[in-house]
Amino acid sequence: MYEGVVQDLIDELGRLPGVGPKGAQRIAFHLLQADPEDITRLADALVQIREKVRFCDICGNVAEAEQCRICLNPRRDVGLICVVQQSQDVAAIERTREFHGRYHVLGGAINPIGGIGPDDLRIRELVSRLADSQVTEVILATNPNLEGEATSTYLARMLAPFEGVRVSRLASGLPVGGDLEYADEVTLGRAFEGRRVLSEGTPAGQPD
């Protein structure tokens, strides 16, 4: 235990995901020894991200305006929507340069043990986007773990009745139990190329 503000800093750093007590202590003492200008830049960045960053009204990705740069890009294919769990996954997929459509960020995955159900995710917003007849394919790019697979299965069932909308899932290449955020570009690129179709959608003019 340390005195006053030093321990307060360690405690706050320890609340960050992936930072344990020892890691928090190392970061705290690194900051204590850093140049004052570096500390000021870090503090300013933290204030700015709280004041300026929001979530896109369309896809839910992080943005500094009502819509993110991807949704505002007229060159993106409006017929393709890639569904991911978090904004970090958007950045991971963009690094592959294999996908040229738009995204939909769910804000998590179905996890009954953690108390997260379908109503806690941005699923209603996804369904609303499919009311636009321009959408022809929804690619489910949830994480290849139990929660991600459960979410993918739920969405596949829900989206199957939409006429003319193909529902696909990222193919092999992603490690089971891993997070999309940490996959390398080659692995993600191959997964996009080999995605499998889960539903072709109900043909227009035919009964369900």
Side-chain angles (χ1 to χ4, degrees):
M1 297 289 292
Y2 296 89
E3 294 183 0
V5 295
V6 174
Q7 187 61 46
D8 291 342
L9 176 60
I10 293 173
D11 291 342
E12 290 302 318
L13 291 171
R15 294 171 59 188
L16 298 174
V19 179
K22 291 184 179 179
Q25 181 176 307
R26 284 195 297 269
I27 296 172
F29 278 92
H30 170 78
L31 294 174
L32 285 173
Q33 299 170 15
D35 292 336
E37 293 182 357
D38 294 337
I39 300 299
T40 299
R41 282 196 298 270
L42 175 60
D44 288 343
L46 292 173
V47 172
Q48 293 291 320
I49 197 172
R50 184 62 180 172
E51 293 180 349
K52 293 185 176 181
V53 175
R54 53 177 297 172
F55 296 97
C56 176
D57 290 343
I58 297 176
C59 72
N61 191 19
V62 291
E64 292 188 17
E66 292 184 358
Q67 298 178 14
C68 70
R69 60 178 180 80
I70 295 176
C71 287
L72 289 172
N73 188 345
R75 292 178 293 182
R76 307 291 297 213
D77 187 345
V78 298
L80 298 177
I81 293 181
C82 181
V83 179
V84 297
Q85 292 179 204
Q86 304 290 355
S87 294
Q88 302 95 304
D89 302 329
V90 173
I93 292 172
E94 284 295 285
R95 288 196 297 268
T96 71
R97 301 182 182 274
E98 292 287 340
F99 181 67
H100 306 290
R102 297 187 177 183
Y103 294 92
H104 188 85
V105 181
L106 295 172
I110 295 174
N111 183 1
I113 296 177
I116 301 175
D119 292 339
D120 299 309
L121 306 177
R122 299 183 67 256
I123 294 176
R124 287 187 299 272
E125 291 83 350
L126 174 62
V127 172
S128 297
R129 293 180 69 181
L130 295 187
D132 185 348
S133 59
Q134 290 180 298
V135 178
T136 58
E137 182 178 2
V138 175
I139 304 169
L140 303 178
T142 52
N143 289 334
N145 53 27
L146 289 176
E147 293 80 9
E149 290 296 328
T151 305
S152 174
T153 300
Y154 178 88
L155 290 174
R157 285 201 310 266
M158 173 172 283
L159 302 180
F162 280 86
E163 294 184 355
V165 178
R166 173 190 293 178
V167 180
S168 61
R169 178 83 166 107
L170 289 191
S172 59
L174 296 173
V176 175
D179 287 341
L180 200 68
E181 177 186 358
Y182 302 113
D184 61 88
E185 292 87 342
V186 174
T187 299
L188 267 176
R190 288 177 178 172
F192 262 99
E193 292 173 355
R195 64 183 183 270
R196 68 183 190 272
V197 176
L198 301 181
S199 170
E200 290 287 357
T202 304
Q206 294 187 15
D208 295 343

